């Protein structure tokens, strides 16, 4: 892997640095395979819901290609951008140890790949196995630019659950009639939430409950008595989803590429950014059974509540047989959501331990809220903002990782507050006046290898709502969650510090809180944001600048020579 020296002039013409780093710091074990992929980002016409429109795709496919690798492999994905939009791709859930250059979020770890240019994402898959995914990480382009990552265990390492007969990737998404980028721009212009999606999809297909969609229906054939592993990914932009198959229970065995204690459920709940692996047994009367995905929403806001369907079809059953309808929880079933998330526990076996930080070096408390910004051209004279600790994040024009690595001044401030400016009754009556929201590019500087506890508290600044938060570069443990205001005296006594679920994206419940812990052992700049694209665009995001450690293999690697210039 060709690396650049720590010389700013490669990326910022006219700038020089006094620091140089020796090349060749990145070494790969000889036995690791190298997997190479070519991603051509291009515009193709795709027809859904009786209507064709141009969409951005990878290799002309929607959803995009699945990346198949083994734990320990080195992966090289050359992305060539033939579309009219700037592009960057994020490998969601891959830890990218010391290698933020391959993480992908635009203006966080790289500047985007411009039209006509290429960039090779070069990374190792170390200590991870399971289902992750990749998606565009700029504007709303991930509406169509996404696909699965399947990481098989090392050779000779079995799954810690019954070996399935076959497996299938299930990508849940959203579809808009109109150009998604125009939908987003219209919302920004008006200062209001843009139009919600027109359909949900299963593997890019809405299913027969939508017009002109008989042929746009995902079908999976099964044989009686066999067991199937479904790798389910929520690639929707703005909706948490319930997913179920009529008449068939699921056994949950993994989330976000971390093995869980198996449990049985009639339906799963999956937030944007999350993955869930389930086992399904074809043990019902041979027939056709609907699989269905529909939003969970227990907040006072409108969502696209239409149901996407696919079909689980037993071998030898004719297509003329009407499928059995799936039963999903009610769309506002908060009790199901809380109980389901409580059942998620790390496997915590000798082979796959849950290494939960028992002591905490630094405690962070971030409030989630909404605010308003003056906007004379907008509908109400204001534009909606979203905030952490009352700060709405402003995207920089230079990638934060480059600014951090080359010590560039004026790109960001490393003074993000550890707690909100003033405490208040976070989940009490809605607060709508004099919110004092600020807009800034502020990061939190984190000491290498320190243990962090972060409590994310939903608030009633304008309205309460559920928020799935994703941290790049790390997994974390969800040690506690609750409804109402977090109590720093009483609530930690109920933390699970034995086998809490480990993941990369966790939901903060509507009008509630979630506490996570992680060890900051991956140096670099790592994005943390709500995975509802609407809220991310409004500023519900920040980043951690994790300092280098003292050891020779504890600092950020030099950037690759083909890193896109800013």
């Amino acid at each position: 892997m060709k690396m650049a020296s720590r010389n700013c002039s490669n990326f910022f013409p006219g700038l020089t640095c006094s620091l140089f780093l020796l090349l060749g710091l990145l070494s790969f074990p000889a036995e690791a395979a190298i997997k190479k992929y070519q991603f051509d980002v291009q515009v193709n016409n795709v027809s859904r819901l009786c209507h064709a429109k141009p969409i951005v795709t990878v290799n002309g496919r929607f959803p995009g290609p699945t990346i198949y690798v083994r734990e320990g492999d080195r992966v090289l994905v050359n992305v060539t951008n033939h579309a009219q939009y700037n592009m960057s791709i994020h490998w969601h859930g891959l830890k990218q140890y010391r290698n933020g250059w391959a993480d992908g979020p635009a203006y966080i770890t790289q500047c985007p790949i411009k039209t006509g240019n290429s960039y090779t994402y070069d990374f190792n898959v170390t200590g991870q196995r399971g289902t992750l995914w990749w998606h565009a990480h700029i504007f709303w382009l991930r509406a169509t630019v996404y696909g699965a990552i399947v990481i098989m265990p090392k050779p000779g390492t079995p799954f810690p659950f019954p070996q399935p007969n076959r497996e299938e990737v299930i990508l849940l998404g959203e579809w808009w009639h109109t150009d998604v980028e125009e939908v987003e721009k219209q919302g920004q212009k008006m200062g209001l939430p843009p139009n919600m999606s027109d359909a949900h999809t299963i593997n890019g297909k809405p299913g027969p409950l939508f017009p002109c969609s008989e042929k746009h229906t995902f079908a999976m054939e099964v044989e009686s008595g066999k067991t199937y592993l479904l790798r389910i990914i929520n690639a929707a932009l703005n909706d948490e989803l319930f997913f179920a198959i009529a008449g068939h229970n699921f056994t949950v065995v993994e989330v976000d590429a971390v093995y869980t204690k198996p449990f049985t459920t009639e339906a799963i709940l999956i937030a944007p950014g999350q993955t869930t692996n389930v086992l399904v047994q074809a043990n019902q009367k041979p027939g056709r059974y609907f699989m269905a995905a529909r939003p969970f929403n227990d907040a006072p806001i409108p969502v696209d509540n239409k149901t996407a369907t696919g079909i689980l079809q037993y071998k030898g059953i004719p297509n003329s047989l009407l499928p059995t309808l799936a039963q999903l929880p009610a769309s506002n079933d908060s009790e199901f959501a809380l109980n389901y998330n409580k059942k998620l526990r790390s496997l915590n076996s000798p082979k796959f331990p849950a290494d939960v930080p028992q002591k905490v070096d630094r405690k962070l408390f971030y409030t989630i809220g909404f605010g308003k910004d003056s906007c004379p051209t907008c509908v109400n004279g204001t534009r909606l903002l979203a905030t952490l600790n009352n700060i709405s994040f402003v995207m920089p024009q230079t990638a934060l990782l480059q600014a951090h690595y080359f010590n560039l001044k004026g790109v960001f401030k490393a003074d993000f507050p550890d707690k909100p400016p003033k405490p208040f009754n976070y989940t009490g009556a809605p607060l709508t006046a004099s919110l004092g929201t600020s807009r800034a590019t502020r990061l939190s500087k984190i000491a290498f290898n320190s243990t962090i506890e972060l409590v994310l508290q939903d608030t009633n600044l304008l309205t309460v709502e559920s928020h799935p938060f994703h941290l790049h570069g790390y997994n974390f443990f969800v040690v506690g969650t609750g409804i109402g205001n977090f109590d720093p005296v009483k609530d930690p006594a109920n933390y699970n510090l034995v086998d809490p679920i480990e993941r990369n994206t966790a939901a903060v419940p509507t009008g509630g809180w979630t506490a996570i812990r992680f060890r900051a052992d991956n140096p670099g700049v790592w994005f943390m944001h709500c995975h509802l694209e609407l809220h991310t665009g409004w500023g519900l995001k920040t980043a951690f600048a994790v300092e280098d450690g003292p050891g020779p293999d504890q600092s950020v690697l030099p950037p690759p020579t083909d890193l896109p210039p800013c």
Side-chain angles (χ1 to χ4, degrees), residues 221-241:
E221 188 179 78
V222 298
E223 292 182 49
S224 285
K226 292 197 169 171
T227 300
Y228 298 83
L229 177 69
L230 304 186
R231 299 177 179 271
I232 306 160
I233 298 160
N234 186 349
L237 264 71
N238 296 309
D239 293 332
E240 289 186 65
L241 296 167

Side-chain angles (χ1 to χ4, degrees), residues 103-186:
D103 190 41
Y107 300 107
I108 306 296
T109 58
Q110 67 168 93
C111 284
I113 307 163
K114 295 187 172 72
T115 305
N117 291 11
S118 297
Y119 175 48
T120 300
Y121 292 92
D122 183 346
F123 53 87
N124 286 342
V125 180
T126 307
Q128 293 183 274
R129 80 292 306 157
T131 306
L132 295 171
W133 65 299
W134 59 264
H135 59 83
H137 211 303
I138 182 166
F139 312 125
W140 280 28
L141 291 172
R142 75 174 181 84
T144 57
V145 179
Y146 62 86
I149 301 173
V150 173
I151 308 168
M152 297 305 289
K154 287 179 176 173
T157 307
F159 293 130
F161 49 80
Q163 183 73 25
N165 297 98
R166 189 161 70 79
E167 56 179 63
E168 189 78 59
V169 168
I170 305 281
L171 281 152
L172 308 176
E174 286 182 90
W175 180 265
W176 276 260
H177 269 310
T178 47
D179 182 338
V180 179
E181 286 308 293
E182 290 307 313
V183 170
E184 184 198 9
K185 279 182 200 154
Q186 182 69 15

Side-chain angles (χ1 to χ4, degrees), residues 403-479:
H404 170 75
Y405 184 85
F406 292 119
N407 201 20
L408 302 176
K409 304 296 179 220
V411 178
F412 65 85
K413 287 185 175 170
D415 64 350
F416 192 90
D418 285 7
K419 55 184 193 292
K422 52 178 187 238
F424 58 97
N425 181 7
Y426 306 115
T427 54
L431 296 163
T432 55
S434 58
L435 303 174
T437 303
S438 68
R439 299 177 72 245
T441 311
R442 295 169 71 181
L443 277 59
S444 192
K445 192 162 263 194
I446 305 283
F448 179 81
N449 214 35
S450 59
T451 51
I452 305 297
E453 178 177 303
L454 167 61
V455 176
L456 289 158
Q457 171 74 60
D458 188 33
T459 72
N460 214 344
L461 289 174
L462 300 189
T463 179
V464 288
E465 195 176 338
S466 174
H467 301 273
F469 266 84
H470 173 46
L471 175 59
H472 290 229
Y474 288 92
N475 280 352
F476 50 73
F477 292 96
V478 183
V479 295

Side-chain angles (χ1 to χ4, degrees), residues 251-274:
T251 302
V252 176
V253 291
E254 178 204 299
V255 298
D256 291 5
V258 175
Y259 295 132
T260 65
K261 288 187 168 66
F263 68 93
T264 303
T265 181
E266 289 176 9
I268 66 161
L269 175 62
I270 185 166
Q274 293 182 336

Side-chain angles (χ1 to χ4, degrees), residues 242 296 298 330-339:
F242 291 119
F296 161 61
D298 60 352
S331 60
N332 64 348
D333 193 340
S334 310
E335 194 178 346
F336 178 94
L338 286 166
N339 287 337

